[in-house]
């Protein structure tokens, strides 16, 4: 087998990195010993993995309690002694380096790069001081050794609240169960409910609260406008709560009225203090939540929480997680690898969130509807998740793939256009490209067909191909007119390269969808248009560059710096954008001078990344505060680049660099993600890498890459699909031969129809390429 010459320092860089550590903050394992096959993934999950890191290497993972894809994600909002509440490390409300809890709130995002949610605050305190009514007035330090996060449950001991409080939170799909045990039997017990709580840059312009002391219940509503949801005016949160033991007394308050006895409050700054009798332990509060209606919140309280004991609720949510996580069961590997795998799979099911009520009611863009046999989901970070998360759903969770596709279609019907980044009840409008097209095509091509595909396609086609603008506008295809006319998005429109490459990827996916529906003319047109990215290749520079409407380049090639993050690229530079197209490796090779030239340039890209990591380790706060100049796994445009080696005939280099990414950019500690998880995108990448398959987005194809475990069993539509790689290790990482169902397999790809019925994929491993 031919071997491209490694650039100077390549092997040394890899060896040095491997010797230095197994990751940025990995917990070392004891001497290797065989582990039994995984039968229960739960013990390997650590929700705090990825809840640390800094700057561009902050994972923003949510560490609290959640059900799989649950609306409610109840957990701590925190601050620390050095960085306080610094926004860019608190997008999920929490940072692993913090030591103080501000409050516990019921809605959170996971792994995002902007802030929203962090609403409906609750804080257990000792004696209530009417001059300090808000939850933020009672911060409490905690010790890390008291903090325990598991799927569906979060526990911690607050040291400065009275004489100490053991906090135990459990989530259900639409609710939370709080249990607070006060250490001092004689100390006062107060629960502050804060409807004004919000994360950074959020506001609560209106709220209302009503107490019913005789029944120990409270209910209300708040209007939340966050950093992201401000783009569409915010959303309502309804809640209904019940204390297991009625409170002794209560005070309500707002900005307009100081704390006083009563049962109603409204306006801004709304909240209440519920005082329980000393010795009434534990104090328990059940909270049902809806973003649709007050009736929905009351229904969720009754259906999911009332009459259920705290530990039984925890067990039920854990069982739901066990079912999701057991779709991948592995043998072999060490404890660290298993922790990363199952924590990654766990994080892949935190978002999107099921925002429809239990009866199917949903609201979006001011419209209401009701599902029938499916669930409406929102909180879709589409520009990120189309690359790995949604393909993972198509493979392992087709019900969620269906829910995502049907929800996107309903969003388009309700608002007149497909969203870019739907959150809660509207579109935040964040990021670029028509990513919904890729999500829908990917699901349909992989057998998720139980939705109105022709109607969905008609809406997508109108935005992408229609000569006149649809009544609801073109949405994410807002630059398609100039794109069609010029063959690229010009510099004058902004983000020339990134918009063009996204549209090209969108065209490919939409063309595949059209082909599957029998729309052959559209398919041909879209597939031809998907090559528009080539119009931005500057042969003098060797990269994709921004181009003006008159055809001129944005600057002279001699002055061009491919490491520069400029106006022509979004969250990427020219090095990272060169590899954006996943479906036309042959076309890229032709532009670069052939397959060998492509491999050499791609290898230089990764070698530069390895050397950069040596100079500036990922756990260095200064280094992580700047983007990476070469391969940047902490962001999305080049996340698939290692798989391109296999597509270009070099599976050995795909094995080398995939393993380097897995070992050096991920760990089983708080800084265990290479950047924002972006709704599970980074985590889903690790899962795909671990099982030896990588999706070509917007298609039904997977690239074969050496797996991580000697055996992985996947629960697929038709049964089980087993992936074998006997004897695989860091040294024995090269694929010598592949067999599918016992027969030799000589191509670098599989299609979904070969996996879905079940079967066996066997990698024969070797120590040499």
């Amino acid at each position: 087998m031919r071997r491209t010459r490694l650039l100077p320092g390549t092997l040394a860089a890899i060896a040095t990195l491997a010797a230095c550590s197994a990751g940025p903050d990995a917990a070392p394992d004891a001497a290797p010993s065989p582990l039994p096959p995984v039968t229960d993934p739960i013990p390997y999950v650590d929700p705090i993995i990825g809840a640390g890191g800094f700057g561009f290497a902050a994972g923003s993972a949510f560490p609290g309690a959640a059900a799989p894809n649950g609306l409610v994600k109840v957990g701590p909002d925190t601050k620390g002694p050095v960085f306080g509440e610094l926004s860019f490390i608190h997008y999920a409300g929490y940072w692993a380096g913090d030591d103080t809890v501000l409050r516990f709130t019921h809605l959170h995002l996971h792994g995002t790069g902007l802030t929203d949610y962090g609403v409906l605050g609750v804080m257990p305190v000792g004696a209530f001081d009417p001059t300090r009514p808000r939850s933020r007035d009672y911060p409490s330090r905690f010790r890390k050794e008291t903090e325990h996060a598991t799927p569906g449950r979060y526990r911690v001991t607050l040291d400065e609240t009275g004489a100490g409080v053991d906090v135990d939170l459990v989530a259900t799909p639409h609710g939370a169960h709080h249990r607070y045990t006060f250490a001092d039997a004689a100390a006062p017990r107060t629960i502050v409910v804060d409807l004004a709580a919000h994360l950074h840059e959020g506001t609560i312009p209106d709220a209302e609260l009503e107490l019913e002391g005789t029944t120990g219940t409270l209910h209300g509503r708040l209007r939340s406008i966050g950093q992201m949801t401000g783009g569409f005016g915010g959303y309502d949160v309804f809640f209904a709560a019940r204390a297991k033991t009625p409170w002794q007394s209560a005070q309500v308050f707002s900005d307009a009225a100081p704390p006083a006895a009563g049962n109603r409050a409204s306006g801004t700054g709304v909240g209440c203090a519920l005082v329980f009798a000393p010795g009434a332990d534990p104090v328990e509060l059940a909270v049902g939540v809806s973003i649709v209606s007050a009736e929905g919140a009351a229904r969720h309280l009754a259906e999911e929480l009332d009459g259920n004991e705290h530990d039984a609720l925890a067990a039920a949510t854990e069982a739901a997680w066990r079912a999701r996580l057991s779709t991948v069961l592995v043998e072999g590997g060490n404890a660290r690898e298993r922790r990363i795998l199952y924590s990654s799979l766990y994080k892949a099911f935190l978002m999107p969130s099921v925002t429809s009520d239990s009866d199917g009611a949903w609201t979006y863009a001011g419209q209401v509807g009701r599902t029938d046999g499916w669930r409406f989901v929102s909180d879709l970070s589409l520009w990120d998740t189309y690359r790995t998360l949604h393909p993972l759903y198509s493979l392992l969770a087709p019900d969620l793939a269906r829910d995502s596709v049907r929800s996107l279609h309903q969003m388009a019907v309700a608002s007149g256009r497909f969203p870019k980044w739907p959150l809660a009840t509207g579109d935040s409008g964040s990021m670029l490209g028509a990513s919904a097209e890729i999500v829908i095509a990917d699901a349909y091509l992989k057998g998720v067909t139980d939705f109105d595909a022709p109607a969905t396609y008609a809406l997508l086609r109108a935005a992408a191909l229609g000569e006149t603008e649809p009544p609801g506008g073109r949405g994410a295809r807002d630059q398609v007119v100039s794109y069609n006319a010029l063959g690229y998005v010009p510099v004058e429109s902004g983000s020339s390269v990134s918009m063009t490459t996204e549209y090209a990827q969108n065209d490919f996916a939409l063309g595949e969808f059209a082909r599957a529906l029998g729309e052959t003319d559209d398919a041909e047109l879209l597939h031809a248009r998907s090559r528009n990215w080539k119009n931005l290749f500057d042969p003098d520079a060797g990269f994709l560059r921004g181009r003006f409407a008159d055809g001129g380049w944005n600057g002279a090639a001699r002055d061009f710096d491919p490491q520069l993050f400029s106006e022509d690229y979004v969250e990427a530079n020219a090095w990272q954008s060169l590899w954006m197209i996943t479906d036309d490796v042959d076309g890229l090779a032709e532009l670069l001078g052939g397959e060998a030239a492509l491999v050499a340039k791609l290898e230089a890209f990764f070698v530069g990344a390895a050397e950069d990591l040596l100079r500036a380790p990922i756990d260095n706060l200064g280094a992580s505060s700047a983007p990476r100049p070469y391969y940047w796994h902490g962001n999305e445009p080049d996340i698939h680049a290692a798989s391109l080696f296999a597509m270009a005939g070099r599976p050995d280099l795909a094995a080398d660099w995939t393993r380097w990414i897995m070992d050096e950019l991920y760990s089983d500690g708080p800084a265990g993600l290479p950047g924002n998880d972006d709704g599970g995108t980074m985590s889903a990448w690790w899962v795909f890498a671990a099982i030896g398959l990588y999706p070509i987005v917007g298609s039904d194809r997977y690239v074969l890459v050496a797996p991580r475990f000697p055996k992985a069993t996947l629960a697929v539509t038709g049964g089980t699909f087993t992936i074998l790689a006997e004897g695989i290790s860091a040294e024995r990482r090269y694929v010598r031969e592949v067999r599918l169902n016992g027969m030799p397999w000589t191509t670098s790809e599989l299609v979904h129809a070969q996996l879905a019925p079940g079967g066996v994929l066997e990698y024969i491993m070797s120590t040499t390429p």
Side-chain angles (χ1 to χ4, degrees):
M1 180 179 290
R2 71 188 192 282
R3 177 85 174 169
T4 299
R5 181 179 62 86
L6 290 174
L7 297 179
T10 304
L11 293 179
I14 298 172
T16 301
L17 285 168
C20 288
S21 73
D25 56 4
D29 285 315
S33 59
L35 295 171
V38 174
T39 56
D40 182 6
I42 294 295
Y44 290 106
V45 177
D46 182 357
I48 296 179
I49 291 177
F54 194 79
F56 286 103
S60 298
F62 170 68
N69 299 98
L71 169 68
V72 168
K73 297 174 182 64
V74 60
D77 298 334
T78 60
K79 69 176 183 178
V82 178
F83 299 111
E85 297 176 65
L86 186 64
S87 175
F88 68 76
I89 56 175
H90 288 93
Y91 293 137
Y94 173 100
W95 189 59
D98 292 342
D99 65 354
T100 300
V101 170
L102 300 172
R103 69 187 73 84
F104 301 97
T105 54
H106 287 76
L107 300 183
H108 290 91
L109 292 172
H110 165 71
T112 58
L114 288 172
T115 307
D116 217 295
Y117 288 157
V119 297
L120 187 54
V122 173
M123 188 67 175
V125 305
F128 178 69
D129 180 352
T131 67
R132 300 186 300 129
R134 298 285 304 282
S135 60
R136 68 184 179 211
D137 297 322
Y138 299 91
S140 178
R141 291 172 65 88
F142 68 98
R143 289 165 289 118
K144 289 294 181 181
E145 60 266 28
T146 72
E147 186 178 41
H148 303 282
T150 56
R153 194 170 196 170
Y154 176 86
R155 288 170 286 180
V156 70
T157 298
L158 304 182
D159 293 335
E160 296 177 11
T161 299
V165 180
D166 290 333
V167 176
D168 192 344
L169 307 177
V170 170
T172 66
H174 301 89
H177 201 275
H178 302 243
R179 183 164 70 186
Y180 302 114
T181 304
F182 290 74
D184 185 347
R189 287 140 167 73
T190 304
I191 304 297
V192 174
V193 179
D194 187 356
L195 273 59
H198 209 296
L199 293 180
H200 179 72
E201 293 191 18
T203 61
I204 306 293
D206 178 50
E208 54 192 351
L209 170 71
E210 183 173 355
L211 311 182
E212 297 176 5
T214 57
T215 59
T217 60
L218 59 156
H219 56 88
R221 176 197 60 84
L222 60 90
R223 182 72 177 177
S224 171
I225 301 177
Q227 186 179 22
M228 297 179 70
T229 51
F232 61 84
Y235 56 96
D236 284 331
V237 177
F238 302 90
F239 70 94
R242 188 186 316 277
K244 187 173 184 179
T245 303
W247 51 83
Q248 268 192 336
S249 63
Q251 297 185 54
V252 296
F253 53 85
S254 68
D255 286 340
N263 61 5
R264 288 187 178 87
S266 62
T268 59
V270 171
C272 67
L274 309 176
V275 181
F276 294 83
D281 276 324
V283 175
E284 297 188 19
L285 184 69
V287 184
V289 179
S290 170
I291 62 171
V292 180
S293 69
E295 293 76 15
R299 185 183 309 107
H300 298 150
L301 175 64
E303 292 178 353
E304 298 183 11
L305 296 158
D306 278 351
N308 292 294
E309 293 299 319
H310 187 82
D311 290 338
L313 290 168
T317 301
E318 181 181 285
W321 275 113
R322 183 174 292 106
R324 277 297 183 201
L325 300 177
S326 294
T327 53
V328 179
L329 295 175
V330 299
E331 296 184 18
N334 60 41
R336 174 185 181 271
E337 291 169 326
R338 291 182 175 192
R339 286 192 292 268
I340 298 175
L341 171 65
Y342 286 109
S343 297
S344 295
L345 192 58
Y346 166 84
K347 289 190 284 287
F349 290 102
L350 286 173
M351 282 174 37
S353 308
V354 176
T355 57
S356 55
D357 285 347
S358 61
D359 66 348
W362 57 265
T363 181
Y364 182 86
Q367 304 299 307
V368 295
R370 193 176 301 275
T371 65
D372 180 16
W374 59 282
R375 302 173 301 173
F376 192 94
V377 299
S378 187
D379 304 346
L380 289 145
S381 182
L382 294 173
W383 182 79
D384 312 290
T385 55
Y386 84 74
R387 304 167 200 266
T388 58
L389 182 81
H390 288 286
L392 189 70
Y393 285 180
S394 295
L395 178 62
L396 298 179
D399 59 319
L400 279 167
R402 174 209 60 200
D403 293 342
S404 299
V405 169
R406 285 194 167 192
S407 298
L408 290 170
H409 180 212
Q410 289 301 316
M411 290 174 187
V413 171
S415 67
R417 59 186 182 274
F418 283 88
K420 292 182 180 179
W421 209 122
L423 199 162
T425 61
D427 184 13
S428 70
S430 183
M431 300 313 298
L432 70 159
S435 304
E437 297 177 12
I438 302 178
V439 172
I440 293 166
D442 190 277
Y444 188 82
L445 294 166
K446 292 172 181 171
V448 180
T449 58
D450 53 340
F451 65 99
D452 192 342
T456 302
Y457 177 74
L459 290 171
L460 293 171
R461 186 192 187 284
L465 295 175
E467 294 184 4
T468 59
E469 185 168 300
R474 295 188 188 273
R477 286 282 195 168
D478 54 347
Q479 302 297 324
V480 79
V481 174
S482 60
Y483 173 77
N484 287 343
L486 301 172
Y488 57 89
V489 176
V491 171
E492 292 92 335
S493 297
S495 309
S496 174
V497 174
S498 292
M499 285 295 298
T500 299
T501 53
E502 289 292 340
Y503 277 178
Q505 192 74 60
N506 302 153
D507 284 343
F508 168 73
L510 190 58
E512 291 291 280
F513 190 26
R515 178 185 56 78
L517 292 174
E519 301 286 351
T520 54
D521 291 343
D522 283 358
E524 290 181 8
L525 173 61
L526 287 162
H527 281 133
R529 210 170 70 174
S530 73
R531 303 301 181 243
N532 278 352
W533 62 273
K534 295 181 180 181
N535 296 325
L536 295 185
F537 183 78
D538 182 352
D540 293 331
F543 290 93
L544 303 180
R545 298 184 57 208
R547 203 166 188 174
F548 290 99
D550 64 5
W553 298 106
N554 190 6
R558 65 178 178 273
D559 300 324
F560 180 69
D561 181 359
Q563 296 186 33
L564 183 67
F565 289 80
S566 74
E567 63 186 2
D568 292 327
Y569 311 92
V570 175
E571 299 194 14
N573 60 19
W575 263 116
Q576 294 148 7
S577 299
L578 182 62
W579 317 105
M580 168 66 190
I581 303 301
T582 61
D583 62 280
D584 190 19
V585 174
D586 290 342
L588 182 57
E590 181 181 357
L591 292 177
L592 293 176
E595 192 173 82
L598 180 150
V599 170
K601 192 156 190 168
L602 185 57
E603 191 171 9
F605 180 53
F606 276 96
V607 170
E611 293 174 345
D612 175 65
L613 193 65
L614 283 173
R615 290 189 300 268
I618 196 170
D619 57 352
N620 179 287
L621 296 189
S624 64
S625 297
R628 295 285 173 174
Y630 294 100
Y631 179 74
W632 186 15
H633 192 78
N635 220 333
E636 277 70 27
D638 62 355
I639 193 173
H640 59 279
S643 68
L644 299 182
F645 283 117
M647 298 175 73
R650 293 303 304 275
D652 56 319
L653 293 178
D656 285 342
W657 289 109
T658 297
R659 185 169 282 267
W660 175 78
I661 295 166
M662 298 176 83
D663 286 345
E664 304 306 329
L665 304 183
Y666 290 80
S667 81
D668 59 348
L673 288 169
N676 298 148
D677 199 20
D678 289 320
T681 301
M682 298 293 160
S683 294
W685 181 95
W686 210 96
V687 175
F688 272 120
I691 64 176
L693 302 170
Y694 198 83
I696 298 176
V697 296
S699 78
D700 62 347
R701 297 153 56 198
Y702 300 89
V703 182
L704 302 181
V705 180
R708 189 74 181 203
F709 296 89
K711 183 177 181 179
T713 302
L714 314 182
V716 295
T717 304
T720 59
F721 189 81
T722 302
I723 300 168
L724 302 174
E726 184 177 353
I728 193 167
S729 67
E731 296 76 25
R732 194 181 178 86
R733 64 177 180 268
Y734 300 112
V735 178
R736 179 169 57 85
E737 182 184 346
V738 179
R739 298 171 186 159
L740 179 63
N741 297 325
M743 302 297 292
W745 192 256
T746 57
T747 71
S748 63
E749 297 179 10
L750 288 179
V751 297
H752 189 79
Q754 292 162 331
L755 278 69
V760 178
L761 178 67
E762 185 177 5
Y763 291 90
I764 310 301
M765 308 306 299
S766 172
T767 57
T768 57

